[in-house]
Amino acid sequence: MTAPLNPPPPPHDHSAHQIWQAPPAGAPMAGAPEEDGPGMKTEAREGAVIAVLTAVCGALLGLLWWRLAPHVPLVGDQSGNTWVVYLKDSEGEQAVGVDGTFTLLALAFGAMSGLAAFLWRRRGGVPLVVGLALGALLGSLLAWRLGVWLGPTSDVIAHARAVGKGVTFPAPLRLGAKAALLSWPFAAVLVHLGLTALFGPRDPEPQQPGEAPLTPAP
């Protein structure tokens, strides 16, 4: 009796099947982009909302600056038909106080707006920071122009004629140090970035190849 000539079947090799085996349910597909954040369009929309809301708050800053800033006293004098206006106290520091009041108020508004933006969206993002800085700058400009408009008239000669010779009257509300306009955006961005770095969500650490995913303990 002779042995069969047919060779035995080769052993089953499951390596190919293991390579092309479908991933378990819920696992990300290889090469598929992972979802990370709300998306650029949503972030841009949120940045625009932050910019508008922050800029509108400039009206409140202008109102507070007008009410809290010290008055610079002026006095008018008449010589014939000519009026001359001069400072009542040439060594006074009221003009410095006007700039200082605006700067302190702007820093406070910057801290509050940075905190509000962080509490509204903790993930942060470049569009949100840009919108916050732009809105704060626009709010500072609005506050400056509104405070000047609400303050005394800029026509000091007419004001001196109206109150009379030798009568003290307040000077127009002016912002001598234009760099104070940057106080609000600087404080807002600094506070927001600081809070995001300290209390913002952390990105998961990348896993090494072949490392099993970490699962929370039951």
Side-chain angles (χ1 to χ4, degrees):
M1 186 174 182
T2 60
L5 299 178
N6 296 332
H12 294 285
D13 187 6
H14 298 283
S15 60
H17 298 283
Q18 293 176 357
I19 294 177
W20 299 101
Q21 185 178 4
M29 297 292 293
E34 298 182 359
E35 294 292 334
D36 184 17
M40 184 56 66
K41 289 185 178 180
T42 303
E43 290 184 356
R45 189 181 305 111
E46 292 174 348
V49 172
I50 283 291
V52 172
L53 294 179
T54 306
V56 170
C57 294
L60 179 59
L61 174 59
L63 182 62
L64 290 176
W65 180 46
W66 167 62
R67 295 290 296 178
L68 300 178
H71 296 291
V72 179
L74 299 179
V75 174
D77 191 11
Q78 184 180 12
S79 176
N81 294 330
T82 303
W83 279 84
V84 178
V85 177
Y86 54 91
L87 290 172
K88 182 178 181 181
D89 185 6
S90 59
E91 297 181 357
E93 298 181 353
Q94 292 87 349
V96 179
V98 172
D99 294 349
T101 301
F102 186 93
T103 302
L104 292 177
L105 289 174
L107 290 175
F109 271 69
M112 291 187 295
S113 57
L115 175 61
F118 171 76
L119 294 177
W120 181 52
R121 188 174 185 275
R122 294 177 178 269
R123 291 186 59 87
V126 175
L128 184 67
V129 175
V130 173
L132 180 62
L134 181 60
L137 181 59
L138 294 176
S140 296
L141 293 174
L142 175 61
W144 170 41
R145 299 312 305 171
L146 180 62
V148 171
W149 179 72
L150 292 175
T153 176
S154 58
D155 191 350
V156 293
I157 299 298
H159 200 169
R161 290 175 177 174
V163 298
K165 179 181 177 180
V167 179
T168 303
F169 62 95
L173 192 61
R174 293 179 178 176
L175 188 63
K178 297 301 188 294
L181 296 172
L182 301 178
S183 301
W184 187 352
F186 175 79
V189 172
L190 185 63
V191 170
H192 182 268
L193 292 180
L195 292 175
T196 303
L198 293 176
F199 306 106
R202 298 290 188 270
D203 295 332
E205 298 182 358
Q207 297 181 356
Q208 300 296 330
E211 182 180 358
L214 298 177
T215 55

